[in-house]
Coordinates of all heavy atoms in Angstrom, one line a residue:
R1 N 189.9 74.4 109.7 CA 189.5 75.6 108.9 C 189.6 75.4 107.4 O 190.5 74.7 107.0 CB 190.3 76.7 109.3 CG 189.5 77.9 109.8 CD 190.3 79.1 110.2 NE 189.6 80.2 109.5 CZ 189.1 81.2 110.1 NH1 189.0 81.2 111.4 NH2 188.5 82.1 109.5
D2 N 188.7 76.0 106.7 CA 188.8 75.9 105.2 C 190.1 76.6 104.7 O 190.6 77.5 105.3 CB 187.6 76.6 104.5 CG 186.3 75.8 104.8 OD1 186.4 74.6 105.1 OD2 185.2 76.5 104.8
S3 N 190.5 76.1 103.6 CA 191.7 76.7 103.0 C 191.4 77.9 102.2 O 192.2 78.7 101.8 CB 192.4 75.7 102.0 OG 191.5 75.3 101.0
V4 N 190.1 78.1 101.9 CA 189.6 79.3 101.1 C 189.5 80.5 102.1 O 189.0 80.3 103.2 CB 188.2 79.0 100.5 CG1 187.7 80.3 99.8 CG2 188.3 77.8 99.6
A5 N 190.1 81.6 101.7 CA 190.0 82.8 102.5 C 188.6 83.2 102.8 O 187.8 83.1 101.9 CB 190.8 83.9 101.9
S6 N 188.3 83.6 104.0 CA 186.9 84.0 104.3 C 186.6 85.3 103.6 O 187.5 86.2 103.5 CB 186.7 84.1 105.8 OG 187.5 85.1 106.3
R7 N 185.4 85.5 103.3 CA 184.9 86.7 102.7 C 184.6 87.7 103.8 O 183.9 87.4 104.7 CB 183.8 86.5 101.8 CG 184.1 85.6 100.6 CD 183.0 85.4 99.7 NE 183.4 84.5 98.6 CZ 182.7 84.2 97.6 NH1 181.5 84.8 97.4 NH2 183.1 83.4 96.7
G8 N 184.9 89.0 103.5 CA 184.5 90.0 104.5 C 183.1 90.4 104.3 O 182.4 90.1 103.3
L9 N 182.6 91.3 105.2 CA 181.3 91.8 105.1 C 181.1 92.6 103.8 O 180.0 92.7 103.2 CB 180.9 92.6 106.3 CG 180.7 91.7 107.6 CD1 180.5 92.7 108.7 CD2 179.6 90.8 107.4
G10 N 182.2 93.3 103.4 CA 182.1 94.1 102.1 C 181.7 93.3 100.9 O 180.9 93.7 100.1
D11 N 182.2 92.0 100.8 CA 181.9 91.2 99.7 C 180.4 90.8 99.8 O 179.8 90.7 98.7 CB 182.8 89.9 99.7 CG 184.2 90.2 99.3 OD1 184.4 91.2 98.7 OD2 185.1 89.4 99.8
V12 N 180.0 90.4 101.0 CA 178.6 90.1 101.1 C 177.7 91.2 100.7 O 176.7 91.1 100.0 CB 178.3 89.6 102.6 CG1 176.8 89.3 102.8 CG2 179.1 88.4 102.9
Y13 N 178.0 92.4 101.2 CA 177.2 93.6 100.9 C 177.2 93.9 99.4 O 176.1 94.1 98.8 CB 177.8 94.8 101.6 CG 177.1 96.1 101.3 CD1 175.9 96.4 101.9 CD2 177.7 97.1 100.5 CE1 175.2 97.6 101.6 CE2 177.0 98.3 100.2 CZ 175.8 98.5 100.8 OH 175.2 99.7 100.6
K14 N 178.3 93.7 98.7 CA 178.4 93.9 97.2 C 177.5 92.9 96.5 O 176.7 93.3 95.6 CB 179.8 93.8 96.7 CG 180.7 95.0 97.1 CD 182.1 94.7 96.6 CE 183.1 95.7 97.3 NZ 184.5 95.3 97.0
R15 N 177.5 91.7 96.9 CA 176.6 90.7 96.3 C 175.2 91.0 96.5 O 174.3 90.8 95.6 CB 177.0 89.3 96.8 CG 178.2 88.7 96.2 CD 178.4 87.3 96.7 NE 178.4 87.4 98.1 CZ 178.9 86.4 98.9 NH1 179.3 85.4 98.4 NH2 178.8 86.6 100.2
Q16 N 174.8 91.5 97.7 CA 173.4 91.8 98.0 C 173.0 93.0 97.1 O 171.9 93.0 96.6 CB 173.3 92.2 99.5 CG 173.3 91.0 100.4 CD 173.3 91.5 101.9 OE1 173.5 92.6 102.2 NE2 173.0 90.5 102.8
K17 N 173.8 94.0 97.0 CA 173.5 95.1 96.2 C 173.3 94.7 94.7 O 172.4 95.2 94.0 CB 174.6 96.2 96.2 CG 174.7 96.9 97.6 CD 173.4 97.5 97.9 CE 173.4 99.0 97.7 NZ 172.2 99.7 98.1
R18 N 174.1 93.8 94.2 CA 174.0 93.3 92.8 C 172.7 92.6 92.7 O 172.0 92.8 91.7 CB 175.1 92.4 92.4 CG 176.3 93.1 91.8 CD 177.3 92.2 91.2 NE 178.5 92.4 92.0 CZ 179.2 91.4 92.6 NH1 178.9 90.2 92.4 NH2 180.3 91.7 93.3
G19 N 172.3 91.8 93.7 CA 171.0 91.1 93.6 C 169.8 92.0 93.6 O 168.9 91.9 92.9
E20 N 169.9 93.1 94.4 CA 168.9 94.1 94.5 C 168.7 94.8 93.2 O 167.6 95.1 92.7 CB 169.2 95.1 95.6 CG 169.0 94.5 97.0 CD 169.5 95.5 98.1 OE1 169.8 96.7 97.8 OE2 169.6 95.1 99.2
A21 N 169.9 95.1 92.5 CA 169.8 95.8 91.2 C 169.2 94.9 90.2 O 168.4 95.4 89.4 CB 171.3 96.2 90.8
M22 N 169.4 93.7 90.2 CA 168.8 92.8 89.2 C 167.3 92.7 89.5 O 166.5 92.7 88.6 CB 169.4 91.4 89.3 CG 170.8 91.3 88.8 SD 171.0 91.9 87.1 CE 170.3 90.5 86.3
Q23 N 166.9 92.6 90.8 CA 165.5 92.6 91.1 C 164.8 93.8 90.7 O 163.6 93.8 90.2 CB 165.3 92.3 92.6 CG 165.6 90.9 93.0 CD 165.5 90.7 94.5 OE1 165.3 91.6 95.2 NE2 165.6 89.4 94.9
S24 N 165.4 95.0 90.9 CA 164.7 96.3 90.6 C 164.5 96.4 89.1 O 163.7 97.2 88.6 CB 165.5 97.4 91.1 OG 166.8 97.6 90.5
K25 N 165.3 95.7 88.2 CA 165.2 95.8 86.8 C 164.4 94.7 86.2 O 164.2 94.6 85.0 CB 166.6 95.8 86.2 CG 167.4 97.1 86.5 CD 168.7 97.1 85.7 CE 169.4 98.4 86.0 NZ 170.6 98.6 85.2
K26 N 163.8 93.9 87.1 CA 163.1 92.7 86.6 C 161.9 93.1 85.7 O 161.7 92.4 84.7 CB 162.5 92.0 87.8 CG 161.9 90.7 87.6 CD 161.5 90.0 88.8 CE 161.0 88.6 88.6 NZ 160.7 87.9 89.9
N27 N 161.2 94.2 85.9 CA 160.1 94.6 85.1 C 160.4 95.7 84.1 O 159.5 96.3 83.6 CB 158.9 95.1 86.0 CG 158.3 93.9 86.8 OD1 158.2 92.8 86.3 ND2 158.1 94.2 88.1
M28 N 161.7 95.9 83.8 CA 162.1 96.9 82.9 C 162.1 96.3 81.5 O 162.4 95.1 81.3 CB 163.5 97.4 83.2 CG 163.6 98.0 84.6 SD 162.5 99.4 84.8 CE 163.7 100.7 84.4
R29 N 161.8 97.1 80.5 CA 161.9 96.7 79.1 C 162.7 97.8 78.4 O 162.6 99.0 78.6 CB 160.5 96.7 78.5 CG 159.5 95.8 79.2 CD 159.9 94.3 79.0 NE 159.0 93.4 79.6 CZ 159.0 93.0 80.9 NH1 160.0 93.4 81.7 NH2 158.1 92.1 81.4
R30 N 163.5 97.3 77.4 CA 164.4 98.2 76.6 C 163.6 98.7 75.4 O 163.0 97.9 74.7 CB 165.6 97.5 76.2 CG 166.6 98.4 75.5 CD 167.9 97.8 75.2 NE 168.6 97.4 76.5 CZ 169.3 98.2 77.3 NH1 169.4 99.5 76.9 NH2 169.8 97.8 78.4
I31 N 163.5 100.0 75.2 CA 162.8 100.6 74.0 C 163.7 101.6 73.4 O 164.6 102.1 74.1 CB 161.5 101.2 74.4 CG1 161.6 102.4 75.3 CG2 160.5 100.1 75.0 CD1 160.3 103.2 75.5
S32 N 163.5 101.9 72.2 CA 164.2 103.0 71.5 C 163.2 104.1 71.2 O 162.0 103.8 70.8 CB 164.8 102.5 70.2 OG 165.8 101.6 70.4
V33 N 163.6 105.3 71.4 CA 162.7 106.5 71.2 C 163.4 107.5 70.3 O 164.5 107.9 70.6 CB 162.4 107.1 72.6 CG1 161.4 108.3 72.4 CG2 161.8 106.1 73.6
L34 N 162.7 107.9 69.3 CA 163.2 108.9 68.4 C 162.5 110.2 68.8 O 161.3 110.3 68.7 CB 162.8 108.5 66.9 CG 163.3 109.4 65.8 CD1 164.9 109.4 65.8 CD2 162.8 108.9 64.5
V35 N 163.4 111.2 69.1 CA 162.9 112.5 69.6 C 163.6 113.6 68.9 O 164.7 113.4 68.3 CB 163.0 112.7 71.1 CG1 162.2 111.6 71.8 CG2 164.4 112.6 71.5
T36 N 163.1 114.8 68.9 CA 163.7 116.0 68.4 C 164.9 116.3 69.2 O 165.1 115.9 70.4 CB 162.8 117.2 68.3 OG1 162.4 117.5 69.6 CG2 161.6 116.9 67.4
A37 N 165.8 117.1 68.7 CA 167.0 117.6 69.4 C 166.6 118.4 70.7 O 167.2 118.2 71.8 CB 167.9 118.5 68.6
Q38 N 165.5 119.2 70.6 CA 165.0 119.9 71.7 C 164.5 119.0 72.8 O 164.8 119.2 74.0 CB 164.0 120.9 71.3 CG 163.5 121.8 72.4 CD 162.5 122.8 72.0 OE1 162.0 122.8 70.8 NE2 162.1 123.7 72.9
T39 N 163.8 118.0 72.4 CA 163.3 117.0 73.4 C 164.4 116.3 74.1 O 164.4 116.1 75.3 CB 162.3 116.0 72.8 OG1 161.2 116.8 72.3 CG2 161.7 115.0 73.8
A40 N 165.4 115.9 73.3 CA 166.6 115.2 73.9 C 167.3 116.1 74.9 O 167.7 115.6 76.0 CB 167.5 114.8 72.8
Y41 N 167.4 117.4 74.6 CA 168.0 118.3 75.5 C 167.2 118.5 76.8 O 167.8 118.4 77.9 CB 168.2 119.7 74.8 CG 168.6 120.8 75.7 CD1 170.0 120.9 76.0 CD2 167.7 121.7 76.2 CE1 170.4 122.0 76.8 CE2 168.1 122.8 77.0 CZ 169.5 122.9 77.3 OH 169.9 123.9 78.2
N42 N 165.9 118.6 76.6 CA 165.1 118.7 77.8 C 165.1 117.4 78.6 O 165.0 117.5 79.9 CB 163.6 119.1 77.4 CG 163.5 120.5 76.9 OD1 164.3 121.4 77.3 ND2 162.6 120.7 76.0
L43 N 165.1 116.3 78.0 CA 165.2 115.0 78.7 C 166.5 115.0 79.6 O 166.5 114.5 80.7 CB 165.2 113.8 77.8 CG 163.8 113.3 77.4 CD1 163.9 112.3 76.3 CD2 163.0 112.8 78.5
D44 N 167.6 115.4 78.9 CA 168.9 115.5 79.7 C 168.8 116.4 80.9 O 169.3 116.1 82.0 CB 170.0 116.0 78.8 CG 170.5 115.0 77.8 OD1 170.3 113.8 78.1 OD2 171.1 115.3 76.7
K45 N 168.1 117.6 80.7 CA 168.0 118.6 81.8 C 167.1 118.0 82.9 O 167.5 118.1 84.1 CB 167.3 119.9 81.3 CG 168.3 120.8 80.6 CD 167.7 122.1 80.2 CE 167.3 122.9 81.4 NZ 166.8 124.3 81.0
L46 N 166.0 117.3 82.6 CA 165.1 116.7 83.6 C 165.8 115.6 84.3 O 165.7 115.4 85.5 CB 163.8 116.2 82.9 CG 162.8 117.3 82.5 CD1 161.7 116.6 81.6 CD2 162.2 117.9 83.7
T47 N 166.6 114.8 83.6 CA 167.4 113.7 84.2 C 168.3 114.2 85.2 O 168.4 113.7 86.3 CB 168.1 112.9 83.1 OG1 167.2 112.4 82.1 CG2 168.9 111.8 83.7
A48 N 169.0 115.3 84.9 CA 170.0 115.9 85.8 C 169.2 116.5 87.0 O 169.7 116.4 88.2 CB 170.8 116.9 85.1
M49 N 168.2 117.2 86.7 CA 167.4 117.9 87.8 C 166.8 116.9 88.8 O 166.8 117.2 90.0 CB 166.3 118.7 87.2 CG 166.7 120.0 86.5 SD 165.4 120.8 85.5 CE 164.2 121.1 86.8
C50 N 166.4 115.7 88.4 CA 165.8 114.7 89.2 C 166.9 113.8 89.9 O 166.6 113.0 90.7 CB 164.8 113.9 88.5 SG 163.4 114.8 88.0
G51 N 168.1 114.0 89.4 CA 169.2 113.2 90.0 C 169.2 111.7 89.5 O 169.8 110.8 90.1
Y52 N 168.6 111.5 88.3 CA 168.6 110.2 87.7 C 169.8 110.0 86.8 O 170.4 111.0 86.4 CB 167.3 109.9 86.9 CG 166.1 109.9 87.6 CD1 164.9 110.5 87.1 CD2 166.0 109.2 88.9 CE1 163.7 110.4 87.8 CE2 164.8 109.2 89.6 CZ 163.7 109.8 89.1 OH 162.5 109.7 89.8
K53 N 170.2 108.8 86.5 CA 171.3 108.5 85.7 C 170.9 108.2 84.3 O 171.7 108.3 83.3 CB 172.1 107.3 86.2 CG 172.8 107.6 87.5 CD 173.5 106.4 88.0 CE 174.1 106.7 89.4 NZ 174.8 105.5 89.9
E54 N 169.6 107.8 84.1 CA 169.1 107.4 82.8 C 167.9 108.2 82.4 O 167.0 108.4 83.2 CB 168.7 105.9 82.9 CG 169.9 105.0 83.3 CD 169.4 103.6 83.7 OE1 168.1 103.5 83.8 OE2 170.2 102.8 84.0
Q55 N 167.8 108.5 81.1 CA 166.6 109.2 80.6 C 165.4 108.4 80.6 O 164.3 108.9 80.7 CB 166.9 109.7 79.1 CG 167.9 110.7 79.0 CD 168.2 111.0 77.5 OE1 167.9 110.3 76.6 NE2 168.8 112.2 77.3
G56 N 165.5 107.1 80.6 CA 164.4 106.2 80.6 C 163.6 106.4 81.9 O 162.3 106.2 81.9
R57 N 164.2 106.7 83.0 CA 163.5 106.9 84.3 C 162.6 108.2 84.2 O 161.6 108.2 84.7 CB 164.5 107.1 85.4 CG 165.5 106.0 85.6 CD 165.2 105.3 86.8 NE 166.1 104.1 87.0 CZ 165.7 103.0 87.4 NH1 164.5 102.7 87.6 NH2 166.6 102.0 87.5
I58 N 163.1 109.2 83.4 CA 162.3 110.4 83.2 C 161.1 110.1 82.4 O 159.9 110.5 82.7 CB 163.1 111.5 82.6 CG1 164.2 112.0 83.6 CG2 162.2 112.7 82.2 CD1 163.7 112.6 84.9
I59 N 161.3 109.3 81.3 CA 160.1 108.9 80.5 C 159.1 108.1 81.3 O 157.9 108.4 81.2 CB 160.6 108.1 79.2 CG1 161.5 109.0 78.4 CG2 159.5 107.5 78.5 CD1 162.3 108.3 77.3
D60 N 159.6 107.2 82.1 CA 158.8 106.4 82.9 C 158.0 107.3 83.9 O 156.8 107.1 84.0 CB 159.6 105.4 83.7 CG 158.8 104.3 84.4 OD1 157.9 103.7 83.7 OD2 159.0 104.1 85.6
K61 N 158.6 108.2 84.5 CA 158.0 109.1 85.4 C 156.9 110.0 84.8 O 155.8 110.1 85.3 CB 159.0 110.0 86.1 CG 158.5 110.9 87.1 CD 159.6 111.7 87.8 CE 159.1 112.7 88.9 NZ 160.1 113.4 89.6
L62 N 157.2 110.5 83.6 CA 156.3 111.4 82.9 C 155.0 110.6 82.4 O 153.9 111.0 82.5 CB 156.9 112.0 81.6 CG 158.0 113.0 81.9 CD1 158.8 113.4 80.6 CD2 157.4 114.3 82.6
V63 N 155.2 109.3 82.0 CA 154.1 108.5 81.5 C 153.2 108.1 82.8 O 152.0 108.2 82.7 CB 154.6 107.2 80.8 CG1 153.5 106.2 80.6 CG2 155.3 107.6 79.5
R64 N 153.9 107.8 83.9 CA 153.2 107.5 85.1 C 152.3 108.6 85.6 O 151.1 108.5 85.9 CB 154.1 107.0 86.2 CG 153.5 106.4 87.4 CD 154.5 105.9 88.4 NE 155.7 105.4 87.9 CZ 156.9 106.0 88.0 NH1 157.0 107.1 88.7 NH2 158.0 105.5 87.5
E65 N 152.9 109.8 85.6 CA 152.2 111.0 86.0 C 151.0 111.4 85.1 O 150.0 111.8 85.5 CB 153.1 112.2 86.1 CG 154.1 112.1 87.3 CD 155.2 113.2 87.3 OE1 155.2 114.1 86.3 OE2 156.0 113.3 88.2
K66 N 151.2 111.2 83.8 CA 150.1 111.4 82.8 C 149.0 110.5 83.0 O 147.8 110.8 83.0 CB 150.7 111.3 81.4 CG 149.7 111.6 80.3 CD 149.3 113.1 80.4 CE 148.4 113.4 79.2 NZ 148.1 114.8 79.1
M67 N 149.3 109.2 83.3 CA 148.3 108.2 83.5 C 147.5 108.5 84.8 O 146.3 108.3 84.8 CB 148.9 106.8 83.5 CG 149.4 106.3 82.2 SD 148.2 106.4 80.8 CE 147.0 105.1 81.4
I68 N 148.2 108.9 85.8 CA 147.5 109.3 87.0 C 146.6 110.5 86.8 O 145.4 110.5 87.2 CB 148.5 109.6 88.1 CG1 149.2 108.3 88.6 CG2 147.9 110.3 89.3 CD1 150.4 108.5 89.5
M69 N 147.1 111.4 86.0 CA 146.3 112.6 85.7 C 145.0 112.3 84.9 O 143.9 112.8 85.2 CB 147.1 113.6 84.9 CG 146.4 115.0 84.7 SD 147.5 116.1 83.8 CE 147.2 115.5 82.1
L70 N 145.1 111.3 84.0 CA 144.0 110.9 83.2 C 143.1 109.9 84.0 O 142.0 109.6 83.6 CB 144.5 110.1 82.0 CG 145.2 111.0 80.9 CD1 145.7 110.1 79.8 CD2 144.2 112.0 80.4
G71 N 143.5 109.6 85.2 CA 142.7 108.7 86.0 C 142.7 107.3 85.5 O 141.7 106.5 85.8
G72 N 143.7 106.9 84.8 CA 143.7 105.5 84.3 C 142.7 105.2 83.2 O 142.4 104.1 82.9
Q73 N 142.1 106.3 82.6 CA 141.1 106.1 81.6 C 141.7 105.3 80.4 O 142.8 105.5 80.0 CB 140.6 107.5 81.0 CG 140.0 108.3 82.1 CD 139.7 109.7 81.5 OE1 139.6 109.9 80.3 NE2 139.6 110.7 82.4
R74 N 140.9 104.5 79.8 CA 141.3 103.8 78.7 C 140.7 104.5 77.4 O 139.5 104.5 77.3 CB 140.8 102.3 78.7 CG 141.4 101.5 77.6 CD 141.1 100.1 77.7 NE 141.7 99.5 76.6 CZ 141.7 98.2 76.4 NH1 141.2 97.4 77.3 NH2 142.3 97.6 75.4
N75 N 141.6 104.9 76.6 CA 141.1 105.6 75.4 C 141.3 104.6 74.2 O 142.3 104.1 74.0 CB 142.1 106.8 75.2 CG 141.6 107.7 74.0 OD1 140.8 107.3 73.2 ND2 142.1 108.9 74.0
E76 N 140.2 104.4 73.5 CA 140.1 103.5 72.4 C 141.1 103.9 71.3 O 141.5 103.1 70.5 CB 138.7 103.3 71.9 CG 137.8 102.6 72.9 CD 138.3 101.2 73.3 OE1 138.8 100.5 72.4 OE2 138.2 100.9 74.5
N77 N 141.4 105.2 71.2 CA 142.3 105.6 70.1 C 143.7 105.4 70.4 O 144.6 105.5 69.5 CB 142.0 107.1 69.8 CG 140.6 107.4 69.3 OD1 140.1 106.6 68.6 ND2 140.1 108.6 69.6
M78 N 144.0 105.1 71.7 CA 145.4 104.9 72.1 C 145.7 103.4 72.3 O 145.5 102.8 73.3 CB 145.7 105.6 73.4 CG 145.6 107.1 73.3 SD 145.9 107.9 74.9 CE 147.5 107.4 75.2
R79 N 146.1 102.8 71.2 CA 146.5 101.3 71.3 C 147.9 101.1 70.9 O 148.5 101.6 70.2 CB 145.5 100.5 70.4 CG 144.2 100.4 71.0 CD 143.4 99.4 70.2 NE 142.1 99.4 70.8 CZ 141.2 98.5 70.5 NH1 141.5 97.6 69.6 NH2 140.0 98.5 71.0

């Protein structure tokens, strides 16, 4: 038998979860957004209401919903 203590299933599970977290953030980009105090307050409220931990998820969701609503139209003024 190896002299190294065997790892339990909990360790394997934790490593899998870390790997999944890294994969889920693969297409993420960090941005800075300057907003009014009221918008920051509303972002906090929406984040809590949706059960998210990060405001970025709310911004992502709002942009996605807006693009769907617009039907993916490409506006030449929006570059």
